Amino acid sequence: MAETKNSPSIILVAETGADIPAETALRRGIEIVPMHVSFGAETRDDGSFPSEEICAYYERTGELPKTSGSMPEDFTRVFDAIHQRAPQAQILYLAYSSVTTCSYQSAQIAVKGRDYVTCIDTKTVSAGQGSIVLRAAQLLEDHPDWGLEQMLPAVEDLIERSRMCFIPNDMEYLRAGGRVSNATALCGKLLSIHPLIELLDGKLIATKKPRGKLSAIIPKLIRDYAQRCDLERSELWLIWAPGLPQSTCTAAEEAARACGFQTIHWVKTGGVITTHGGKGAFGIVGFAAKE
């Protein structure tokens, strides 16, 4: 369980799909609930294995692993452990987008009879969710006297201003997962099309179809997305999946620096996100500036 300081009044909870490194969660006092990945008949906790295993399994078998959200018993175990350790604390669960997984619904089942738990849908995934959770953790560090009355509107503001998009290296994993047809995947490969996926009100929506090499698309995407979304320049989260070349990462960071971003956080996709985004996927997460 995560280390906590001075019996905090609020303890944050998120799923492994937020892609918060275990050591970061431990240091910031964030509790992590496992989502799950099934390799054939074997189901494993997301976060318990390197995400490279997703790619290796697909290349070896031609089949994608199956993902599933956190179960009610996963939340019950974490909620009860926190309450036993810190009975006076409120638990604030900041959920992976509820329209994409059963996790939020599972938490609702686990919450019954536990009036010390509050659930909020972040309406985003991966580093989108993770960035909200980490900013919430910073708010609690900056305002240790805050209760839910102060915390909830601050979190809702973060959710409202969160912006996230990602772009797969190709459509192969989307095809294997049944999200696009064989014909669409083949057409995308022949024409070098990379669908741009944006998180809009919790849903993953393909908004554009840029063409060309990902190494050329990504720097322009960073510039365009930062301007279009009027992102705060204090920090930016860049998501990478196994297989993204280092040269592309370097070009992405250079583009972000040129846009004026002061702090850049690189976030590696875990098992759940790698399964959906595929090998070599890339993403951007930031917060729209306050009006």
Side-chain angles (χ1 to χ4, degrees):
M1 303 299 287
E3 295 175 348
T4 56
K5 302 176 181 179
N6 301 323
S7 300
S9 60
I10 299 174
I11 296 176
L12 301 175
V13 173
E15 301 95 333
T16 50
D19 289 336
I20 299 173
E23 61 273 17
T24 301
L26 182 66
R27 186 176 70 252
R28 305 302 296 273
I30 301 164
E31 297 290 347
I32 302 297
V33 181
M35 299 174 84
H36 307 284
V37 181
S38 296
F39 297 82
E42 179 190 13
T43 297
R44 302 163 69 183
D45 286 350
D46 182 30
S48 67
F49 58 89
S51 51
E52 284 83 358
E53 290 191 23
I54 299 292
C55 307
Y57 181 85
Y58 177 65
E59 291 169 4
R60 185 173 68 252
T61 68
E63 296 181 0
L64 270 183
K66 306 294 185 182
T67 64
S68 57
S70 305
M71 298 292 102
E73 54 268 28
D74 295 319
F75 285 103
T76 297
R77 182 169 57 253
V78 171
F79 292 161
D80 286 353
I82 294 172
H83 189 60
Q84 182 176 14
R85 185 182 76 239
Q88 303 305 315
Q90 290 290 313
I91 297 172
L92 181 55
Y93 161 52
L94 300 178
Y96 192 100
S97 174
S98 65
V99 300
T100 65
T101 180
C102 68
S103 290
Y104 188 80
Q105 289 74 20
S106 293
Q108 296 297 306
I109 295 172
V111 161
K112 292 179 180 178
R114 296 174 174 82
D115 60 3
Y116 49 86
V117 181
T118 300
C119 304
I120 297 181
D121 182 0
T122 67
K123 299 181 181 180
T124 187
V125 303
S126 186
Q129 178 191 9
S131 62
I132 291 170
V133 175
L134 290 170
R135 281 206 169 184
Q138 187 62 53
L139 286 171
L140 290 174
E141 288 186 20
D142 295 342
H143 305 281
D145 57 329
W146 272 16
L148 288 178
E149 183 179 355
Q150 294 81 21
M151 194 62 186
L152 295 183
V155 168
E156 292 291 355
D157 173 68
L158 291 173
I159 294 171
E160 180 68 24
R161 295 190 296 113
S162 175
R163 302 290 184 270
M164 176 180 172
C165 70
F166 75 91
I167 187 166
N169 183 45
D170 56 44
M171 297 190 194
E172 181 60 24
Y173 279 58
L174 297 176
R175 181 205 61 78
R179 296 175 181 84
V180 300
S181 68
N182 290 342
T184 298
L186 177 60
C187 181
K189 184 174 183 179
L190 292 174
L191 299 178
S192 296
I193 294 174
H194 307 267
L196 177 65
I197 312 296
E198 295 190 60
L199 268 292
L200 301 175
D201 196 30
K203 302 179 180 67
L204 285 76
I205 307 295
T207 57
K208 296 182 179 181
K209 297 179 180 179
R211 293 177 59 179
K213 292 184 178 181
L214 210 58
S215 58
I217 292 172
I218 285 174
K220 184 177 186 301
L221 173 62
I222 292 172
R223 294 189 293 269
D224 292 349
Y225 196 67
Q227 180 177 14
R228 174 162 62 90
C229 296
D230 189 22
L231 296 182
E232 292 178 349
R233 295 308 199 262
S234 58
E235 56 186 342
L236 186 73
W237 288 259
L238 298 179
I239 304 168
W240 67 281
L244 186 68
Q246 180 58 49
S247 59
T248 302
C249 294
T250 299
E253 183 152 349
E254 289 175 351
R257 296 289 183 192
C259 287
F261 288 101
Q262 300 169 21
T263 301
I264 297 171
H265 308 280
W266 282 97
V267 180
K268 181 183 179 183
T269 58
V272 167
I273 303 302
T274 301
T275 301
H276 296 304
K279 184 177 181 180
F282 174 82
I284 303 170
V285 173
F287 289 90
K290 291 186 178 181
E291 297 180 357

